[in-house]
Structures are given as C-alpha cells and as structure tokens.
Amino acid sequence: MAKIVVIGGTGLIGSKVVAKLTEHGHEAVAASPNTGVNSLTGEGLADVLVGAYAVVDVSNSPSFAPDDVLEFFTTSTRNLLAAEAEAGVTHHVALTIVGTNRPQNIAYFAAKVAQEKLIRESGIAYSLVHATQFFEFVGSIADISTEGDTVTLPGALIQPIAAEDVATAVARAAAGEPTGDIEIAGPETFGMDEFARRALAFRGDSRTVVRDDSAPYYGAQIEERTLIPVEGAHIFETTLEEWLPLNPPRN
C-alpha cells in the first residue's frame, strides 16, 4: 500500500478521494492550506511529500477571474512538480476538464491547458483525469445565468457526472500505474438548458429556463460538442434522476 498525498484533500472531490484511498488501505494524506500545506506558496510541501508514491492534485482556484485562475494553476503546479521531483514522487495525478484539447475561449479552460502542459513536460509520469461538468454545479450554472426570474443558457451538449464518481475515477488513477490522459463522464447527454431545467423543476425552483444558443457559459460562447467526451471515455452510472433526491440545494 502506498502513501498518496491529495492536494485539495479537504474539498468536495479531495475529501472523497482521501476516504476512498483510505478504505482500500492506502496512506492517504489530505493536504490543503488548513492542514498547513499550501501549493500556491509552497508552504509545507517538502514535509508532506516525504515517502509519497503519488500526488493527486484536485485543488482549485478561489477566483475564476482570467488572470487569477491562470496564476493559480501555473504557480501551484510548478511548486508541486518541483517538490515532487525533489522528493522522488513517481506519479502525478491531476483532475482536469473534458474539452481542454478543443478550440474554445473559456479562461478557466486556458488555465487548465497551461497546467496540463507543465505536467506533460515535467518528466514525472502522470495521469490526467478529464471530467465533464459535475452535477453539483447545476445550481451555480443556473445562478450565473439568471436575470430576474429567467435563466438563459445555450443548448450546447453536456454529459454531467456525480462528484462521487469523479472521486472514484481519481482514486483509481492514483492507486494504479500512470495512464496518461483519460476522460470520464456521466451516462446521459443533455442540452445545458435542459440540465438546468430538470434540476430546478425537481427542486421546486420557480425560475424559467430559456434556451439561447448565443448565451455565454462562464463568460464564453461554446460549440455544441465542446463539453462532451470523445469515444473511449469511461462512463459512470449515476443518473441525474438518481442524484437529485440525494443532493438538495446548498444554502
């Protein structure tokens, strides 16, 4: 069994990854600023990586402003990779996004592309887990697209996945040999407007969801198939209908 350090290990995905690895007998260490490890400043990295076989990076930028998110992912990743090389870590696992290898102008995606490039060029064996959008973000997607009582979203296709399934995929990658790039997704494809409409209706939200293909997604226009996986992706089983009753909106 291996020591695996999870950067962002107290967050939505990271806490689940730590739990899954621990259940399977690994020494999973949750590393985040509130445990004294900060990948952005480098604080605590050298100590926590002693004896680690793998590092899992599921950390996320606190700000999605274009300059901030690029700075976060490039600085954090450089610090991590340098500390891993010093500590002799042989497997770097990072959670990233389906669609980073396709043309788009989303600032967050550009930052993830920069992160991936650093990992690929590091000389450390890696696994990059490309996930589709999480079910858990349906509320925030609706909120940022709301004006008055109307939610306006494009009909671009989305194949969302449960955070629990994302964590399973990341934990499997961390416990195994480096695999390069893999894509993961949920079992159903929706238009983005339909995804929000179904979730809001189930939750008794009175907002009306309107489809407008010129509407932005996180500030950018997207093509119909930018956010869905290609053939060969690992498809998980949790459906939106199964997920909704177990996940009331957060207050």
Side-chain angles (χ1 to χ4, degrees):
M1 296 295 103
K3 177 181 177 181
I4 299 173
V5 176
V6 182
I7 305 296
T10 59
L12 171 66
I13 302 298
S15 59
K16 296 177 186 294
V17 172
V18 168
K20 290 175 186 294
L21 289 170
T22 301
E23 286 169 11
H24 286 82
H26 295 286
E27 181 190 350
V29 180
S32 66
N34 60 17
T35 68
V37 180
N38 190 324
S39 59
L40 195 58
T41 65
E43 177 191 0
L45 284 180
D47 289 340
V48 80
L49 294 186
V50 172
Y53 156 71
V55 167
V56 175
D57 184 8
V58 290
S59 62
N60 206 358
S61 175
S63 167
F64 285 8
D67 290 346
D68 293 344
V69 74
L70 181 62
E71 172 68 17
F72 177 87
F73 281 119
T74 53
T75 300
S76 175
T77 301
R78 285 191 183 101
N79 287 340
L80 274 176
L81 293 169
E84 288 169 32
E86 187 70 23
V89 173
T90 57
H91 187 187
H92 183 96
V93 181
L95 177 60
T96 185
I97 308 169
V98 163
T100 52
N101 59 344
R102 300 167 210 169
Q104 36 68 30
N105 59 353
I106 303 172
Y108 187 89
F109 279 45
K112 296 299 281 186
V113 169
Q115 179 190 34
E116 292 175 18
K117 184 173 188 290
L118 290 170
I119 294 166
R120 294 182 205 283
E121 295 176 352
S122 69
I124 298 172
Y126 64 87
S127 300
L128 292 173
V129 182
H130 298 257
T132 53
Q133 183 58 271
F134 305 167
F135 288 139
E136 281 73 6
F137 291 121
V138 65
S140 60
I141 290 170
D143 290 346
I144 65 170
S145 305
T146 295
E147 187 170 337
D149 292 325
T150 302
V151 180
T152 305
L153 285 166
L157 297 177
I158 191 168
Q159 197 167 327
I161 185 170
E164 192 72 33
D165 292 338
V166 175
T168 295
V170 172
R172 285 176 182 168
E177 296 296 318
T179 57
D181 292 78
I182 61 171
E183 289 191 344
I184 61 172
E188 304 167 297
T189 301
F190 310 104
M192 194 174 298
D193 60 316
E194 182 188 357
F195 175 47
R197 189 178 296 113
R198 288 179 58 173
L200 295 185
F202 179 88
R203 291 173 170 178
D205 192 308
S206 62
R207 285 177 289 179
T208 300
V209 180
V210 173
R211 174 176 173 172
D212 178 354
D213 289 345
S214 67
Y217 172 72
Y218 286 107
Q221 300 237 311
I222 56 171
E223 299 297 324
E224 181 185 39
R225 304 185 69 83
T226 297
L227 302 178
I228 60 172
V230 296
E231 186 175 350
H234 297 250
I235 305 301
F236 284 80
E237 295 182 355
T238 307
T239 65
L240 182 60
E241 185 177 6
E242 292 167 338
W243 180 86
L244 280 167
L246 303 175
N247 292 271
R250 299 175 186 174
N251 294 324

